[in-house]
Amino acid sequence: MTCKFTQLSIQYGNTSQSACIYSTYGMVRLLILRDFGVARDYMALACQLDSHPQTGDGTIGRFTAGSCLLHYYCHVRVAFPRLLEGYLSGL
């Protein structure tokens, strides 16, 4: 389902749920396919979309990227502020 949602977002444009979809697709690429470069690109795209009010709510894309993807690329100390930011905005 994640692959289909990603395909639809790319084909028809981004929605408010696109940040969540892209970060979940990044997890699929990272954990199942072991494609670190593409996963990092989708993580960055999810965070970028999540910061815009038209395409994100500011929480789910950053939380997923921070908790599931970012610590693969950098130390937990670097990933923790983004995870905390997503967590606090969800409260």
Side-chain angles (χ1 to χ4, degrees), residues 32-53:
I32 296 173
L33 301 175
R34 300 286 185 204
D35 193 353
F36 293 99
V38 174
R40 185 177 214 171
D41 293 341
Y42 277 101
M43 177 190 66
L45 178 61
C47 290
Q48 181 183 13
L49 288 176
D50 211 21
S51 64
H52 295 292

Side-chain angles (χ1 to χ4, degrees), residues 15-73:
T15 65
S16 61
Q17 298 300 316
S18 293
C20 178
I21 292 167
Y22 289 139
S23 61
T24 306
Y25 184 69
M27 285 193 313
V28 169
R29 295 296 295 225
L30 179 68
L31 299 174
I32 296 173
L33 301 175
R34 300 286 185 204
D35 193 353
F36 293 99
V38 174
R40 185 177 214 171
D41 293 341
Y42 277 101
M43 177 190 66
L45 178 61
C47 290
Q48 181 183 13
L49 288 176
D50 211 21
S51 64
H52 295 292
Q54 297 166 335
T55 57
D57 58 359
T59 57
I60 191 68
R62 290 182 190 178
F63 179 74
T64 307
S67 64
C68 301
L69 296 172
L70 192 60
H71 67 276
Y72 277 93
Y73 300 105

Side-chain angles (χ1 to χ4, degrees), residues 61-89:
R62 290 182 190 178
F63 179 74
T64 307
S67 64
C68 301
L69 296 172
L70 192 60
H71 67 276
Y72 277 93
Y73 300 105
C74 57
H75 196 273
V76 172
R77 285 185 214 147
V78 177
F80 186 73
R82 186 170 287 173
L83 173 62
L84 186 63
E85 179 185 344
Y87 175 75
L88 291 176
S89 64

